[in-house]
């Protein structure tokens, strides 16, 4: 991440999460809430079908950050999940560089990213902000 990053730079990627993704995440995390892993149970809820774990969506966000900002470390994030993500739905991850912070003392320069994840119909499933540190230019 030593290249010059301009405020306003936008990066987008898409991903479709499957029921198998939900099930594997549940097995790894131990979060086996039936709303995520039991289609028969989920059919009786207000959602009508299984929904993604919020932290699975966060993992998709982390992968997009890692892929597009190599060497960066995520210091923090502030995220909301206003709508459910269902198995089989394509989601778009949009990262926008909204600010840069100079390094001071022990702190390395940082970037602020606006984060928005949407369904194909435009409905927002995750939104917020992430703060990254970046390597010093060599």
């Amino acid at each position: 991440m030593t290249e010059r990053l301009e405020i306003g730079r936008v990066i987008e990627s898409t991903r479709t999460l499957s029921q198998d993704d939900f099930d594997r995440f549940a097995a790894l995390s131990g979060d086996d809430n039936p709303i995520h892993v039991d289609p028969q149970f989920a059919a009786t809820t207000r959602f009508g079908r299984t929904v993604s774990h919020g932290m699975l969506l966060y993992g998709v966000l982390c992968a997009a950050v890692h892929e597009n900002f190599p060497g960066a470390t995520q210091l923090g994030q502030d995220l909301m999940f206003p709508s459910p993500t269902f198995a089989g739905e394509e989601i778009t991850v949009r990262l926008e560089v909204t600010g840069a912070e100079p390094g001071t003392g022990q702190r390395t320069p940082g970037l602020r990213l606006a984060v928005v994840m949407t369904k194909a119909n435009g409905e927002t499933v995750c939104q917020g902000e992430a703060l990254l540190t970046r390597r010093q230019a060599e």
Side-chain angles (χ1 to χ4, degrees):
M1 201 165 84
T2 57
E3 73 277 8
R4 187 166 198 175
L5 293 173
E6 295 184 20
I7 305 298
R9 177 181 175 201
V10 174
I11 299 161
E12 289 188 348
S13 61
T14 59
R15 173 100 187 252
T16 302
L17 296 173
S18 67
Q19 185 61 54
D20 186 54
D21 293 324
F22 295 2
D23 295 344
R24 290 182 310 158
F25 186 84
L28 288 171
S29 69
D31 180 357
D32 61 357
N33 183 318
I35 193 66
H36 305 304
V37 298
D38 185 341
Q40 292 171 338
F41 168 81
T44 68
T45 70
R46 68 184 176 106
F47 299 114
R49 51 189 170 153
T50 57
V51 298
S52 176
H53 302 75
M55 291 300 100
L56 177 54
L57 294 175
Y58 174 64
V60 171
L61 163 64
C62 289
V65 168
H66 177 73
E67 181 179 333
N68 292 285
F69 301 93
T73 301
Q74 191 171 353
L75 290 179
Q77 66 286 322
D78 181 16
L79 302 173
M80 296 175 23
F81 302 92
S83 299
T85 302
F86 301 109
E89 286 187 310
E90 182 179 83
I91 55 173
T92 298
V93 179
R94 183 179 192 275
L95 306 174
E96 179 179 354
V97 178
T98 58
E101 297 186 2
T104 57
Q106 297 288 332
R107 192 165 167 215
T108 60
L111 289 176
R112 288 199 176 278
L113 302 177
V115 176
V116 179
M117 299 171 89
T118 55
K119 299 180 187 187
N121 68 4
E123 188 175 11
T124 299
V125 297
C126 177
Q127 65 186 28
E129 183 177 69
L131 178 62
L132 313 179
T133 61
R134 53 186 172 164
R135 289 192 289 240
Q136 297 280 0
E138 299 180 23

